[in-house]
């Protein structure tokens, strides 16, 4: 099989390819007014699915608004929103089976919500209290849930990409009819792990969906300083995988593309790359101020492409939703999130004994000694360690 | 002399170095117009142009490999890795390439003009991916210098020395002091010699050794100890590799005791290397076992950060215990 056939025609004068040689269309189903394009092929969707998607959109908007507020008040130390990217994240997750494994980057809490992560669980993680599934070890927004097949977030970028290839390959070996989906931004696609993950998936035939949120910025760096080629989609083609570019602010387009990507991945045991063209309406994180590197006019332009609004108009057009329903939903979630914040921030932090758990499967003798010494020290100076002194 | 914070001092050092050396370029994630996420490179793109201060794509491996190439071709390369926690994708390029360029080529090629700057350390509620102190990993690799400043004046002089050193340097910047540490900084161009520790305070009962952000911690601990009648000699190691054995050994010969403090986990931390060497150099002068106050052997935890840290109180207790041994 060496030198697998490259179906080349022969030419006899020098002729280079460039990024324009590759025509990559963009899938768009929904128009700005909520009607669909005349010849558009819709995804598989009924009212129940649409309701669930919209519900997740509203919850996510509320969560982002409230938690950014909580960060500004100093109640949590850090936050990241997915404002503007809801269609990319929720539309793709909605196309999956609940046993498909999600390996997210850090901006995909909407996926976790779609799967059923409760408001209380979100708060427990963000407030690092004793109910946090991650035991208070990571910054806010680094969620994970074994039960919901959502692997815990790691801050270093792109590390999840080759891991997704491995997860999906494991599924294949175990005979599961499932895929792994891996989310990342166009910035993370510059990391070496991106190349490694895609190349291995394509060569080893691993049923992985690589989902790129091309949202315009990696912190302050705009796409034109990130890559010079034809976006991220061109690279999928380069690695030999099925690739599609979609309007990332179009819920129906993302849903349709991901449904078919999943079917293809399972049918052919092959990876698929989806590039969703969207825009990060918010800051990179609560530590960032985008006014230093992009204009208000640019942001205002993208406000007009609000993915939640576009999907809402579609539902309203179908008589599946009213403005009153939407207002009620926002109100309900605002109250729910606020109430959950009040509960979560009062719960104690994880017990000190947990500090040495999970380093390895069992604490080593050295760790047990360190904990013992630490406890003795804290007992001597309880006022200096107020969060744990009372719970030794 | 002007009062400034550490970020300002670093920015000034970079500006001075670029002015003096037309071949110097600065690059990394968001370092261009934005000035870096901590703003250490603010204004440099405006001052020196986009060819000399620019954003790279988001690839630490790429940044380090690119820096190796630039420096091997006679440029002065100052590369920023946005957080020291993110230096590991670049690990192969740094430990196998940067560190060995000169040795493997019989000194035909080198990347001596290369400096990596990277914010390290905890105490900022950053959890384990924004808090690590990875200096020891690099000290196991011959061919690199590892430098960590403790305040603005030191940062400026040590950074200028690092950039001009004919060897590759990893310059770890204590991020929790970036704005918190303010002090007098000499105007203009000056360097602080690499490879030299600094005795910041003379004492007779115990030598307390640390570097970077932990210097503030050990100074406070020593103040407490002084009140209990213990005379502490405080040393800032400044260059972790190659380290100044002579200054430390001389001090320990005088005081008879040594306490080493660092933020990285105890096991495999650089304190172990120092303890082994000083034990050999000063065995007959030692009056108690060499003591270490370090991070726990766990990943850096978010909510138990205070408990994890080798803080002032733990250091104070260890000083007392060592002196009373």
């Amino acid at each position: 099989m060496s030198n697998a056939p490259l179906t080349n025609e022969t030419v006899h004068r020098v002729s280079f390819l460039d990024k324009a040689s590759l025509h990559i269309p963009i899938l768009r189903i929904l128009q700005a007014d909520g009607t669909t394009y005349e010849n558009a092929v819709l995804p598989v969707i009924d009212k129940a699915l649409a309701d669930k998607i919209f519900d997740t959109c509203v919850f996510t908007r509320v969560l982002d608004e409230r938690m950014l507020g909580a960060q500004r008040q100093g109640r949590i130390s850090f936050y990241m929103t997915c404002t503007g990217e809801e269609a990319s994240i929720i539309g793709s997750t909605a196309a999956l089976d609940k046993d498909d494994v999600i390996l997210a980057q850090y901006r995909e809490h909407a996926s976790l919500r779609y799967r059923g992560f409760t408001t209380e669980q979100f708060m427990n993680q963000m407030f690092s209290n004793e109910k946090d599934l991650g035991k208070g070890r990571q910054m806010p927004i680094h969620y994970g849930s074994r039960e919901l097949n959502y692997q815990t977030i790691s801050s270093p970028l792109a590390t999840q990409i080759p891991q997704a290839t491995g997860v999906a390959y494991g599924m294949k070996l175990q005979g599961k009819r499932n895929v792994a989906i891996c989310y990342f931004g166009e910035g993370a696609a510059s990391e070496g792990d991106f190349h490694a993950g895609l190349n291995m998936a394509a060569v080893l035939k691993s049923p992985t969906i690589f989902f790129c949120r091309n949202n315009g910025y990696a912190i302050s760096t705009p796409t034109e300083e990130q890559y010079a080629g034809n976006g991220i989609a061109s690279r999928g083609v380069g690695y030999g995988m099925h690739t599609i570019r979609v309007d990332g602010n179009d819920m129906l387009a993302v849903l349709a593309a991901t449904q078919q990507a999943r079917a293809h991945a399972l049918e052919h045991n092959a990876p698929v790359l989806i590039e969703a063209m969207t825009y990060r309406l918010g800051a990179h994180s609560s530590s960032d101020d985008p006014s230093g590197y992009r204009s208000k006019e640019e942001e205002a332009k993208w406000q007009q492409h609000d993915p939640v609004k576009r999907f809402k108009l579609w539902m309203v057009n179908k008589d599946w939703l009213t403005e009153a329903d939407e207002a009620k939903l926002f109100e309900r979630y605002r109250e729910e999130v606020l109430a959950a914040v009040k509960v979560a921030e009062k719960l104690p932090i994880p017990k000190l004994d947990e500090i040495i758990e999970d380093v390895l499967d069992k604490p080593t003798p050295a760790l047990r000694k360190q904990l013992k010494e630490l406890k003795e020290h804290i007992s001597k100076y309880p006022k200096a360690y107020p969060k744990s002194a009372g719970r030794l | 002399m002007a009062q400034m914070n550490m970020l300002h001092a670093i920015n000034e050092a970079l500006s001075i170095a670029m002015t003096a050396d037309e071949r110097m370029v600065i690059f990394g994630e968001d370092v261009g117009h934005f000035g870096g996420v901590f703003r250490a490179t603010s204004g440099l793109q405006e001052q020196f142009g986009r060819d000399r201060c620019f954003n790279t794509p988001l690839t630490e491996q790429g940044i380090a490999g690119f820096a190796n190439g630039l420096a091997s071709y006679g440029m002065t390369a100052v590369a920023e890795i946005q957080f020291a926690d993110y230096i590991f994708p670049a690990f192969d390029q740094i430990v196998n390439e940067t560190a060995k360029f000169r040795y493997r080529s019989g000194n035909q090629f080198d990347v001596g003009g290369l400096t990596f700057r990277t914010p390290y350390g905890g105490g900022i509620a950053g959890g384990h991916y924004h808090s690590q102190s990875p200096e020891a990993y690099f000290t196991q690799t011959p061919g690199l210098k590892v430098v960590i400043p403790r305040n603005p004046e030191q940062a400026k002089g040590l950074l200028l020395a690092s950039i001009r050193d004919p060897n590759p340097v990893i310059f770890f910047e204590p991020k929790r002091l970036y704005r918190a540490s303010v002090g007098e900084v000499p105007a203009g161009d000056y360097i602080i010699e690499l490879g030299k520790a600094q005795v910041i305070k003379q004492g007779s009962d115990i030598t307390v050794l640390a570097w970077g952000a932990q210097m503030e911690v050990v100074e406070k601990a020593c103040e407490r100890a002084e009140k209990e009648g213990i005379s502490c000699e405080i040393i800032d190691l400044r260059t972790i590799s190659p380290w100044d054995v002579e200054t430390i050994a001389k001090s320990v010969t005088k005081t008879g005791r040594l306490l080493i403090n660092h933020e990285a986990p105890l096991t495999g931390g650089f304190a172990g290397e120092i303890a082994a060497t000083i034990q050999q150099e000063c065995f007959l002068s030692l009056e108690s076992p060499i003591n270490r106050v370090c991070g726990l052997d766990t990943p850096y935890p978010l909510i138990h950060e205070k408990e994890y840290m080798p803080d002032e109180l733990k250091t104070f207790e260890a000083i007392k215990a060592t002196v009373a041994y």
Side-chain angles (χ1 to χ4, degrees), chain B residues 22-312:
Chain B
E22 284 184 359
R23 289 192 167 199
M24 177 171 149
V25 291
I26 293 185
F27 49 93
E29 292 152 17
D30 299 294
V31 305
H33 171 67
F34 191 47
V37 292
F38 291 103
R39 306 303 170 96
T41 56
S42 278
L44 297 176
Q45 188 174 77
E46 285 73 14
Q47 203 181 342
F48 299 101
R50 291 176 77 103
D51 287 345
R52 294 184 62 199
C53 176
F54 52 90
N55 289 338
T56 63
L58 215 159
T59 166
E60 294 80 12
Q61 178 183 25
I63 290 167
F66 175 84
N68 280 332
L70 263 176
S72 74
Y73 202 68
M75 301 292 287
T76 305
V78 177
E80 177 176 299
I81 302 293
Q82 200 160 72
F83 283 88
D85 309 74
Y86 301 152
I87 206 165
F88 298 109
F91 203 60
D92 179 53
Q93 279 289 342
I94 297 173
V95 302
N96 273 331
E97 303 299 317
T98 308
K100 286 151 190 161
F101 239 91
R102 192 190 301 274
Y103 194 77
R104 73 184 182 201
S105 70
N107 203 21
Q108 297 181 85
F109 297 97
D110 71 79
V111 292
L114 169 54
T115 305
F116 288 104
R117 294 180 38 248
T118 188
Y120 86 98
I124 54 136
H128 47 233
Y129 294 121
H130 294 85
S131 303
Q132 293 170 79
S133 298
E135 70 271 11
Y137 290 104
F138 297 96
T139 62
Q140 171 73 5
T141 303
L144 300 171
K145 291 192 177 182
V146 178
V147 177
I148 309 183
R150 72 172 183 278
N151 65 26
E153 174 242 347
Q154 294 283 311
K156 184 176 170 185
L158 288 168
L159 180 55
L160 279 164
S162 297
I163 292 169
R164 288 157 183 176
D165 192 274
N167 297 288
V169 177
I170 308 181
F171 191 81
F172 287 104
E173 298 169 2
K175 69 172 101 66
R176 82 167 181 263
L177 300 188
Y178 265 155
R179 292 176 201 282
S181 176
V182 177
E184 297 276 323
V185 175
D189 199 338
Y190 66 97
I191 64 161
I192 295 171
E193 193 183 350
L194 302 187
K196 295 279 180 212
Q198 184 185 23
V199 180
I200 356 193
K201 193 190 143 297
Q202 299 276 345
S204 55
D205 295 332
I206 183 171
T207 301
V208 181
L209 176 65
W211 48 85
Q214 288 304 100
M215 290 313 301
E216 268 195 339
V217 171
V218 301
E219 284 181 271
K220 284 185 188 158
C222 291
E223 269 174 43
R224 278 180 189 258
E226 298 275 346
K227 283 182 192 146
E228 303 214 353
I230 299 169
S231 165
C232 302
E233 180 140 311
I234 306 175
I235 304 183
D236 175 6
L237 193 59
R238 301 197 293 196
T239 300
I240 315 307
S241 183
W243 66 286
D244 183 355
V245 180
E246 195 185 339
T247 298
I248 314 306
K250 192 173 152 210
S251 170
V252 175
T253 302
K254 178 177 82 176
T255 63
R257 295 181 177 90
L258 175 62
L259 173 73
I260 311 154
N261 174 305
H262 63 61
E263 256 181 66
L266 177 84
T267 300
F270 199 65
E273 176 61 32
I274 296 171
T277 303
I278 294 301
Q279 185 254 157
Q280 192 159 32
E281 293 287 319
C282 306
F283 186 69
L284 294 176
S285 308
L286 283 171
E287 293 180 40
S288 61
I290 295 170
N291 207 344
R292 292 176 287 170
V293 181
C294 304
L296 301 177
D297 288 350
T298 71
Y300 197 105
L302 177 81
I303 197 66
H304 288 121
E305 178 172 66
K306 197 163 171 45
E307 288 77 5
Y308 174 95
M309 287 291 270
D311 63 4
E312 175 189 344

